[in-house]
Amino acid sequence: MTQSTTTPEATTGRNTRGLFLLSTGVVFAIAAVVMLFITVVGISTLQSDALARINEQNLSYRAEFGFVERELSVLSAMTAVPAMLLIVAMCFLIPGYLRRRGVIAERDTTFWRGGSHTAKYKPLPLGLHAAWALLPLAAWVLLVVIPLRNLIGGTAWPAGLKDENSSAVWMLLAAYGGLAAALFAAIVVSLIKKVVYTARVARHPEAVDGSAGKGLWRWVTFRWRFDLWLAGLGGAFVGLCWIALGFDDTPFFVTTLVIGLALLAAGLLLAVNYWRAGEPLGAGESYS
């Protein structure tokens, strides 16, 4: 039997750093939620002329490695602040999670196998995994379902907003409601993948070695996680298509719903075949 070469001091240090990263990520995530709330309330209550002036003001920035100057409206910049905070939060949450629950290592790369960095971690239990799905689901209900119900009923916010305010508010709700729906779909499909993989390996232990063509399956489902990307994109379409009903745009609703369901089905099909990649749950790789 081999013994772990990781010392208690190294494990403690890794866990401490992981806890610090997770805590920092949580702070940024909470800040993003607060900023989103402030932005929605602010845009809802601004006078139309003030909102128009803000929208007409532009910020200049350099793009394409600094060779091209572009402009962005102040209103668009305001709506992007919560998203930027969420991105910063993920930059802390992901490595923090890996440091707390797994090990990160380096290795040489090949075309079919090998990111320059690999991670192995303990997968979440099924119950806790399912519980995490409730968080983006609740966010989607708050950002899309309740405002849409109020709009159709015409009795509460955001019904009654002036056109300029209404357009800006729905732009915010759609952007972040779509993100919440995408996260919910990705988490649920990931959960289904875990259930199917576990059941498959339990019935057929040899499945841990993958199947024919596992190089391609590994590239698609393990290295790049196209199953979850497709599921997330499909979830965003399905989660947002209902807004069209509030504006009596049935063709847009049907088209968006069909596209979203097709993407979800494609992601789910890849996810339930993850075992073919010959890789365990709780592993990943990246180039950095």
Side-chain angles (χ1 to χ4, degrees), residues 192-205 207 281:
I192 295 173
K193 174 168 69 174
K194 183 181 293 184
V195 171
V196 171
Y197 178 90
T198 303
R200 177 80 185 188
V201 171
R203 292 195 306 268
H204 306 282
L281 296 172

Side-chain angles (χ1 to χ4, degrees), residues 11-247:
T11 301
T12 301
R14 184 175 70 235
N15 289 340
T16 301
R17 289 190 293 270
L19 181 60
F20 171 78
L21 291 171
L22 283 173
S23 301
T24 305
V26 169
V27 170
F28 275 105
I30 294 174
V33 173
V34 172
M35 183 58 66
L36 177 59
F37 176 78
I38 293 174
T39 305
V40 170
V41 172
I43 291 177
S44 299
T45 56
L46 275 175
Q47 295 294 327
S48 297
D49 55 346
L51 186 62
R53 287 196 301 271
I54 292 175
N55 195 36
E56 290 172 357
Q57 296 177 3
N58 293 322
L59 299 174
S60 298
Y61 66 97
R62 308 294 298 186
E64 280 75 39
F65 302 100
F67 292 105
V68 179
E69 183 174 350
R70 298 188 181 277
E71 290 187 344
L72 179 71
S73 71
V74 173
L75 182 60
S76 297
M78 290 171 56
T79 61
V81 170
M84 290 186 288
L85 289 173
L86 285 174
I87 292 173
V88 174
M90 294 305 298
C91 291
F92 286 95
L93 291 172
I94 293 176
Y97 177 84
L98 292 177
R99 282 187 172 274
R100 289 282 291 177
R101 296 182 62 88
V103 177
I104 302 175
E106 297 182 12
R107 72 175 177 190
D108 295 332
T109 64
T110 66
F111 181 76
W112 287 115
R113 173 180 291 276
S116 56
H117 285 79
T118 63
K120 292 185 178 180
Y121 51 92
K122 184 179 180 182
L124 288 175
L126 293 178
L128 186 57
H129 193 147
W132 270 108
L134 299 178
L135 187 61
L137 178 62
W140 176 72
V141 170
L142 289 173
L143 292 169
V144 175
V145 176
I146 294 177
L148 181 60
R149 184 193 63 183
N150 293 344
L151 178 67
I152 295 175
T155 57
W157 182 93
L161 290 178
K162 296 181 180 179
D163 289 342
E164 296 82 357
N165 301 74
S166 179
S167 298
V169 165
W170 277 107
M171 179 178 67
L172 265 172
L173 296 178
Y176 293 98
L179 177 60
L183 287 174
F184 174 72
I187 292 174
V188 170
V189 170
S190 175
L191 177 63
I192 295 173
K193 174 168 69 174
K194 183 181 293 184
V195 171
V196 171
Y197 178 90
T198 303
R200 177 80 185 188
V201 171
R203 292 195 306 268
H204 306 282
E206 70 279 4
V208 296
D209 296 324
S211 67
K214 72 176 183 179
L216 179 60
W217 282 104
R218 186 184 188 281
W219 192 84
V220 172
T221 62
F222 177 75
R223 177 180 293 184
W224 296 111
R225 311 285 178 173
F226 280 123
D227 52 344
L228 301 185
W229 282 108
L230 289 172
L233 186 58
F237 273 84
V238 173
L240 292 180
C241 67
W242 311 100
I243 295 177
L245 296 179
F247 297 91

